[in-house]
Amino acid sequence: ALVYAPECHGDWLQKWTDDANASASASTAAAEDGGGSSNGRIADDLRASLIGKMRAGCISLWRTEGSIDQWYRVASLELPKQSQKVDEEYRFQIVQPSSDAIGICQSIRDRVFIKEQSIPVHVERDGCDDIATHVLCWSREEHGIDDVPIATGRIIVEGAEAKLGRIAVLSQYRKIGLGSRIVRELEGIAASAGATRMSLTPHHYLEGFYKRLGFARVEGDSIAIVNDGCHLIKMEKAVHVVR
C-alpha cells in the first residue's frame, strides 16, 4: 500500500511513477509487442495529473493497492476551479516545532484571534506551539515583492489522536478556500504521524464549515464560553483514507 501525505509527495510520486511505468510496460508486453513506450507516456501523464490534484488539495490522503486502471480513475477526477486558483496563487509551508517561522504563524493568529475576535492573550498563547506542527500559507505576490503570510493552522499529535487548532485566515483572504486547504494539509500530517482520529474546538458558528470537511459534533458536547463573542464546540473526524 502507498500513502500520500502533502509534505512527502516528491519521493512518493517518484516511487509511484516507477511502479506505474513498470506495470504499464508489463501489461502492454503481454498483449502486444512494441507498445511499452505508449503506456510509459500514459504513466507520466497520470503522474502529472496527480501532482496537480495533490498540490491543489483535491487528493489530501489516499491509499491503494490497485492496478494502473484504478490509478487512472483517481487521476481523472475533476479539479474544482477554486482549488486550481488556490494552487496557482498561494503556497503552503510545513513548519516544524523548532522553526523560527512559528513566530510568523503567531503573528497571523494575533491579528485574527486577539485583535479581531478579542480572545484573551493567555488563552491564545497556550504554550503548546513548541510541540505543534504548523501549516503556513503564503500569497504569491507579483512584481518581485516578497510573498505575504496570510493563513495558518497547527496540529498536535499524541499517539492515535491529533488535535487541530489555531486555524486562522486574514480577513481579506477569506471565502476562497484557504481554510479548507489548511485543514486538508493538517489531515495529511496527522495520517503520516500515525493518527487515526482528529479533533478540534471551533467557534460554534463554524460547525457547518467543518461538517462539510467531514467533522461531526461530539455527542453530548456543550458549548464552552470564552467570552461574549467566543463560544466553542468540540468536533472530531476519523483520519480519511481512500483505498
Side-chain angles (χ1 to χ4, degrees):
L2 297 174
V3 178
Y4 164 70
E7 70 277 11
C8 60
H9 67 262
D11 293 341
W12 181 87
L13 278 168
Q14 185 57 56
K15 183 182 188 311
W16 174 82
T17 303
D18 295 341
D19 291 347
N21 277 318
S23 174
S25 297
S27 175
T28 301
E32 60 181 358
D33 294 331
S37 60
S38 174
N39 277 276
R41 286 195 298 272
I42 291 174
D44 290 339
D45 289 344
L46 290 180
R47 180 176 184 271
S49 178
L50 286 165
I51 289 173
K53 289 172 174 55
M54 289 172 182
R55 288 178 175 169
C58 294
I59 307 174
S60 59
L61 178 69
W62 48 283
R63 175 182 293 159
T64 184
E65 295 175 346
S67 66
I68 192 170
D69 292 335
Q70 290 172 309
W71 288 97
Y72 183 77
R73 286 198 291 273
V74 173
S76 297
L77 297 173
E78 284 191 14
L79 273 173
K81 291 182 179 179
Q82 188 180 67
S83 293
Q84 292 182 28
K85 181 178 180 181
V86 166
D87 189 47
E88 293 169 358
E89 299 185 9
Y90 308 96
R91 65 180 177 90
F92 296 82
Q93 174 188 357
I94 304 298
V95 179
Q96 301 298 335
S98 59
S99 173
D100 292 339
I102 288 178
I104 300 175
C105 300
Q106 291 172 336
S107 68
I108 296 172
R109 286 159 35 187
D110 286 351
R111 292 175 61 179
V112 173
F113 297 132
I114 298 175
K115 295 179 181 178
E116 180 182 333
Q117 300 179 2
S118 300
I119 304 295
V121 174
H122 73 276
V123 174
E124 205 294 314
R125 296 295 177 87
D126 60 358
C128 293
D129 286 339
D130 290 341
I131 60 171
T133 300
H134 289 70
V135 171
L136 178 59
C137 174
W138 301 77
S139 173
R140 300 181 191 273
E141 299 297 323
E142 298 179 353
H143 310 300
I145 302 175
D146 290 341
D147 291 357
V148 177
I150 59 171
T152 188
R154 80 178 188 189
I155 184 169
I156 300 171
V157 181
E158 298 175 336
E161 299 291 326
K163 298 178 182 178
L164 281 63
R166 304 305 192 269
I167 299 168
V169 181
L170 296 183
S171 58
Q172 64 268 41
Y173 295 96
R174 293 171 192 164
K175 306 296 184 183
I176 57 174
L178 295 179
S180 6
R181 175 63 181 273
I182 291 284
V183 173
R184 285 195 293 266
E185 294 282 349
L186 294 172
E187 181 177 352
I189 295 171
S192 66
T196 58
R197 182 162 296 278
M198 301 180 295
S199 64
L200 46 74
T201 53
H203 291 284
H204 69 288
Y205 57 80
L206 292 174
E207 182 175 357
F209 168 78
Y210 284 106
K211 275 186 175 180
R212 291 192 293 274
L213 296 175
F215 287 84
R217 184 87 175 266
V218 173
E219 186 175 354
D221 175 55
S222 58
I223 295 178
I225 301 176
V226 177
N227 58 29
D228 289 342
C230 182
H231 300 175
L232 304 180
I233 60 175
K234 185 173 182 179
M235 303 184 76
E236 61 182 13
K237 174 186 178 181
V239 174
H240 183 54
V241 176
V242 180
R243 290 190 179 275

